Amino acid sequence: MSLLTLLFFSLLSLSKSTPLKPHPLPILPLPSSQQLQWQLGSMAMFLHFGPNTFTNSEWGSGKADPSVFNPTHLNATQWVQTAKDFGFSRVILTAKHHDGFCLWPSEYTDYSVKSSPWRNGTGDVVAELASAAAAEGIGLGLYLSPWDRHDGAYGKTLEYNEFYLSQMTELLTKYGEIKEVWLDGAKGEGEKDMEYFFNTWFSLIHQLQPGAVIFSDAGPDVRWIGDEAGVAGSTCWSLFNRTNAKIGDTDPLYSQEGDGFGQDWVPAECDVSIRPGWFWHALESPKPVAKLLDVYYNSVGRNCLFLLNVPPNSSGLISEQDIKVLEEFREVKKSIFSNNLARKAVLNSSSVRGGQSSQFGAENVLEEGLDKYWAPEEKVKEWELYLEFRDPVSFNVLEVREPIQMGQRVASFHLEMRNIKSGKWERVVRATTVGFKRLLRFQRCESRSLKLVVEKARADPLISYIGIYMDKFSDLGRNSSKITITRTLHEELVLNDSRK
């Protein structure tokens, strides 16, 4: 047969190749591009800074003299470099806390840096941070407290909303791209009644910074997890009904768990401080790395973003104590998650969508990113992924991810292993939701054969990543005293009921 004839038949074969099976239909609700970018960031750094830093306060009265604010060695580049070095994707600054003091020279009040001795009254903390963040490719977020204990307009609904939106406009038009706007409903007991025009605020923020997500108890883009311990619910949907939530008055259980029947996509953010207080205090010390790791598992590992407050000190720098803990935290995470044992396995599945392994096969779950994933055949009852190892592997952590751009689907799943001695399948761990990332810790196991079983899902489940790890730092099989298993309010109630 001639070379031309072979070429002809090869081309003919290619022309008759099977067309690709279309991707499955996404299931609503879906994240926006801004929400996807936010979720991919995994961790953000909160920067509580202001007169409270110098007066040893948490909630300033609004009466502190501006002269107390004088951080003689302030270096926003150090803040940003710290965030970048230790894996934080964005920084969020308290541009104005409850005391009403502004870290930028607002034209609507004199209670700001322009009335302080810092930089001889010409300084602008927001500008310095914005410049440093842009230079390092770190996102910038700003917190503008609705509660203002200084300004006389507070308590006068129309007047204060005009004042607040004018300050918000300054922040969103003078400092480049803003990735997140952080709001809350915090207000002390006995304070003046005040109606905030939240819907107007949200509309203006999206108009001025269309790439930003807005955080509050009730979204609209990102919700508070409902506590300041950094702990999400063991079930945590990004699905949510905003109509069931109100800023300053949302059921914490609803915030922690989300809503599997929700109509809105509002993922959760878990905020916690590296120190006991939110502002820096000379007599306080940072949490140990074991506690930060615990929070990481219970926030990022439960489909949330981990917002860690690392407050600059009175000199204007992040303290060396805090940096040392962050460095240890980075190294511990690296020691656990840099070696995915699943990469040593041969992967298979109970079925593949359209029988097209190259597009939807099990091997896709070893690739980072959301673009590729395992998809089972349509209308099947078994949803299982198999991992076969040549030699036994020891592990105590499971990671599972969904391609959330296709919607959140998995409602419950479990991992099984084949007992090396008996050959029988044994359950290792069971959980409910997955979302962007689920991390599960358990006692150390050893096996050659693993099976991930999806039990329930809102639609055909899609799995974008599987990780099998050995966490020697918090190995439950060796020293359970090293780790704190933090329960949510709901889990505590269930536990207490079971003990009755």
Side-chain angles (χ1 to χ4, degrees):
M1 187 179 291
S2 70
L3 183 61
L4 286 175
T5 304
L6 284 171
L7 180 60
F8 171 77
F9 280 110
S10 297
L11 291 173
L12 184 63
S13 176
L14 286 172
S15 68
K16 293 182 178 180
S17 62
T18 304
L20 288 177
K21 177 78 172 179
H23 287 265
L25 196 67
I27 180 170
L28 298 175
L30 300 177
S32 67
S33 60
Q34 297 96 316
Q35 289 171 320
L36 275 174
Q37 186 182 47
W38 169 89
Q39 188 96 58
L40 288 167
S42 293
M43 298 196 304
M45 182 180 286
F46 220 163
L47 299 164
H48 274 67
F49 190 59
N52 293 347
T53 308
F54 302 85
T55 60
N56 199 34
S57 305
E58 283 291 307
W59 280 10
S61 65
K63 298 177 182 178
D65 193 291
S67 64
V68 304
F69 185 81
N70 191 23
T72 53
H73 295 89
L74 188 146
N75 185 347
T77 298
Q78 187 240 17
W79 304 354
V80 170
Q81 195 62 53
T82 299
K84 185 174 182 178
D85 287 348
F86 302 121
F88 297 88
S89 60
R90 59 185 60 186
V91 291
I92 301 174
L93 175 70
T94 55
K96 183 184 81 171
H97 204 251
H98 310 322
D99 59 1
F101 186 86
C102 300
L103 296 185
W104 80 101
S106 174
E107 295 180 1
Y108 298 95
T109 181
D110 290 329
Y111 198 55
S112 75
V113 287
K114 66 186 178 186
S115 298
S116 77
W118 177 65
R119 305 271 198 265
N120 295 317
T122 64
D124 186 336
V125 180
V126 178
E128 293 189 24
L129 181 60
S131 177
E136 293 297 331
I138 295 295
L140 176 63
L142 297 173
Y143 169 59
L144 184 66
S145 171
W147 182 28
D148 190 320
R149 305 186 76 180
H150 176 83
D151 197 85
Y154 193 84
K156 304 171 185 176
T157 296
L158 179 60
E159 188 177 341
Y160 183 73
N161 276 277
E162 290 176 342
F163 170 77
Y164 185 88
L165 282 181
S166 295
Q167 290 198 322
M168 180 67 77
T169 299
E170 286 183 314
L171 290 173
L172 301 187
T173 57
K174 294 185 176 181
Y175 300 102
E177 185 178 14
I178 305 299
K179 290 292 187 180
E180 185 165 347
V181 176
W182 218 86
L183 309 172
D184 64 14
K187 188 173 72 170
E189 292 184 11
E191 292 291 330
K192 299 174 184 176
D193 289 333
M194 183 71 225
E195 180 186 356
Y196 304 130
F197 295 165
F198 283 120
N199 288 335
T200 304
W201 297 6
F202 297 160
S203 295
L204 183 71
I205 292 166
H206 280 149
Q207 178 192 94
L208 298 177
Q209 289 285 345
V213 294
I214 301 172
F215 167 97
S216 80
D217 298 22
D221 303 310
V222 177
R223 75 178 192 266
W224 184 42
I225 198 58
D227 62 53
E228 292 184 345
V231 179
S234 58
T235 294
C236 190
W237 293 97
S238 292
L239 282 61
F240 198 70
N241 276 326
R242 289 184 56 208
T243 54
N244 292 349
K246 182 180 178 181
I247 297 176
D249 188 25
T250 300
D251 180 355
L253 291 180
Y254 192 69
S255 297
Q256 284 184 337
E257 296 188 353
D259 189 339
F261 299 97
Q263 301 300 305
D264 305 304
W265 186 276
V266 188
E269 189 167 278
C270 299
D271 59 325
V272 66
S273 185
I274 197 170
R275 289 165 171 257
W278 289 92
F279 286 87
W280 177 84
H281 303 285
L283 299 181
E284 291 184 352
S285 299
K287 293 177 172 65
V289 67
K291 180 59 180 176
L292 294 188
L293 182 63
D294 190 36
V295 173
Y296 182 83
Y297 275 110
N298 289 308
S299 57
V300 176
R302 289 182 172 181
N303 187 39
C304 300
L305 184 137
F306 179 13
L307 176 59
L308 180 64
N309 179 61
V310 185
N313 60 30
S314 56
S315 68
L317 298 171
I318 292 176
S319 298
E320 286 300 318
Q321 269 186 305
D322 297 359
I323 290 175
K324 183 179 179 181
V325 171
L326 290 173
E327 185 174 8
E328 292 174 0
F329 180 46
R330 177 186 63 190
E331 294 309 308
V332 166
K333 285 198 292 121
K334 183 179 178 181
S335 73
I336 299 167
F337 299 109
S338 62
N339 181 23
N340 184 1
L341 300 172
R343 297 190 185 281
K344 299 178 181 180
V346 174
L347 279 86
N348 212 327
S349 59
S350 53
S351 66
V352 176
R353 181 177 172 84
Q356 297 183 349
S357 296
S358 60
Q359 189 176 13
F360 299 116
E363 291 290 338
N364 286 343
V365 303
L366 296 181
E367 295 192 32
E368 295 272 3
L370 298 174
D371 294 337
K372 290 191 174 183
Y373 49 84
W374 167 68
E377 186 59 276
E378 300 170 272
K379 300 178 182 178
V380 298
K381 294 183 179 180
E382 285 190 348
W383 299 321
E384 298 179 350
L385 279 164
Y386 313 111
L387 293 83
E388 291 289 338
F389 297 87
R390 187 180 67 179
D391 301 310
V393 293
S394 294
F395 61 98
N396 61 1
V397 175
L398 169 67
E399 175 181 1
V400 186
R401 302 183 200 174
E402 292 183 82
I404 56 173
Q405 78 276 12
M406 304 293 285
Q408 189 175 355
R409 298 165 178 248
V410 177
S412 64
F413 68 100
H414 69 263
L415 180 70
E416 297 180 22
M417 71 172 188
R418 192 187 297 277
N419 187 295
I420 294 176
K421 294 181 179 179
S422 70
K424 294 181 180 180
W425 286 103
E426 299 174 353
R427 181 175 294 184
V428 176
V429 67
R430 184 178 184 273
T432 52
T433 50
V434 175
F436 174 66
K437 183 181 291 188
R438 189 64 193 261
L439 295 171
L440 295 167
R441 288 177 293 181
F442 37 83
Q443 291 208 0
R444 185 194 302 198
C445 300
E446 186 176 57
S447 181
R448 290 191 183 92
S449 304
L450 303 179
K451 177 167 58 175
L452 182 76
V453 181
V454 178
E455 301 170 352
K456 296 180 183 178
R458 298 173 62 233
D460 287 346
L462 308 175
I463 304 298
S464 60
Y465 195 75
I466 287 180
I468 303 292
Y469 308 101
M470 186 65 228
D471 176 358
K472 295 179 180 178
F473 184 81
S474 52
D475 185 359
L476 292 174
R478 284 187 173 178
N479 187 355
S480 59
S481 66
K482 282 188 176 181
I483 189 167
T484 303
I485 302 298
T486 308
R487 298 186 181 93
T488 65
L489 175 59
H490 176 65
E491 291 166 330
E492 287 287 358
L493 292 173
V494 171
L495 185 63
N496 289 337
D497 287 342
S498 69
R499 288 173 174 169
K500 290 178 180 178

